[in-house]
Amino acid sequence: CFPHSQSDMKLLLLSSLLATAAAFMSPMASKPSMKALQAEDMSVGAMEPLGFFDPLGYIDSPEKFERYRAVERKHGRIAMMAFAGVIVHNNKWTFDGYISPSNNLKFSDINEGIGGLFQVPKAGLAQILVVCALVELAWWPASQLDGDYGIRLGKWNNWDREPEKKVRQQNAELNNGRAAMMGITGNIVAQVVTGQTFAEQAAAGHFSPFGDGQGFF
């Protein structure tokens, strides 16, 4: 069941906007120049037209920059996977068989939208959290702030021989991650407000979060 009251809609939209903005903004502080901070790879992600975007002067040390850049990178990676999941599920691409034989619940029984998360049995959600914890703490530890876990795919990312490729690909990852964070947030908000998945909105030609769910508006 999705909230449809005006107050619920406003609260959800405001929360989503604040969550998205958190990756870019923070409390007021004196704003040192990018050159003065001298953090490693600080130019990565400083793209035109905004450049080094810290309007509230939150980044006041190289250590803080590296920490929050790592957070931004990780959230971007998660958001890219999440949006890929939206595409997969909205196209009804599922595993065969049962997600929970004891509950007689098949993968195909899971809703394609955000509501499907609440259909997964608690034991299944616990398993997902355990795997995420293993990745976070051991396999690709969050404490490694540069986010480079040594995965090399031949010439595609041979950064040691082509350092200019490293900067270009890191910029691409950050920008794609930023777009994905906004995209998955918008997707969830629109679904909660309209009650339609992305695929259902596309099929109906309905891309406004307001109205009766039919037609563009």
Side-chain angles (χ1 to χ4, degrees):
C1 169
F2 297 108
H4 287 283
S5 70
Q6 189 174 14
S7 59
D8 285 342
M9 287 165 54
K10 289 181 178 179
L11 180 60
L12 183 62
L13 290 169
L14 178 60
S15 299
S16 300
L17 289 172
L18 290 175
T20 303
F24 304 99
M25 293 183 159
S26 31
M28 181 67 74
S30 58
K31 182 180 179 181
S33 67
M34 183 173 72
K35 184 177 179 181
L37 288 174
Q38 295 180 342
E40 183 180 359
D41 292 336
M42 202 157 203
S43 61
V44 175
M47 307 294 293
E48 296 295 339
L50 297 177
F52 181 69
F53 188 67
D54 182 26
L56 298 182
Y58 189 72
I59 305 300
D60 55 11
S61 70
E63 293 76 20
K64 183 174 286 188
F65 171 83
E66 289 168 7
R67 170 63 182 165
Y68 278 84
R69 172 49 52 79
V71 171
E72 179 187 24
R73 185 188 300 111
K74 182 195 299 180
H75 288 174
R77 289 172 175 175
I78 294 171
M80 286 188 280
M81 293 179 66
F83 206 89
V86 167
I87 296 171
V88 168
H89 288 290
N90 279 202
N91 279 281
K92 303 183 186 298
W93 298 333
T94 62
F95 292 110
D96 293 329
Y98 290 84
I99 186 173
S100 176
S102 61
N103 292 324
N104 197 33
L105 184 66
K106 296 181 178 180
F107 285 100
S108 57
D109 295 331
I110 302 295
N111 189 287
E112 296 92 24
I114 187 63
L117 178 65
F118 305 101
Q119 293 177 275
V120 178
K122 292 181 180 179
L125 292 177
Q127 291 173 44
I128 293 172
L129 291 175
V130 168
V131 171
C132 290
L134 288 174
V135 172
E136 183 86 354
L137 299 174
W139 189 17
W140 293 340
S143 57
Q144 188 172 332
L145 298 183
D146 63 5
D148 182 4
Y149 299 107
I151 299 174
R152 296 292 181 266
L153 302 174
K155 293 182 179 180
W156 190 76
N157 64 339
N158 55 342
W159 293 348
D160 293 334
R161 295 186 178 183
E162 299 181 72
E164 70 281 357
K165 184 180 288 187
K166 177 179 180 180
V167 174
R168 184 172 68 252
Q169 291 178 341
Q170 286 182 329
N171 277 326
E173 180 187 28
L174 283 171
N175 283 333
N176 290 341
R178 290 164 179 170
M181 285 188 279
M182 298 178 69
I184 194 63
T185 301
N187 183 272
I188 294 172
V189 170
Q191 186 181 154
V192 171
V193 172
T194 66
Q196 294 177 311
T197 66
F198 179 74
E200 290 167 342
Q201 292 176 58
H206 179 64
F207 290 96
S208 169
F210 307 102
D212 60 2
Q214 300 298 322
F216 192 85
F217 293 106

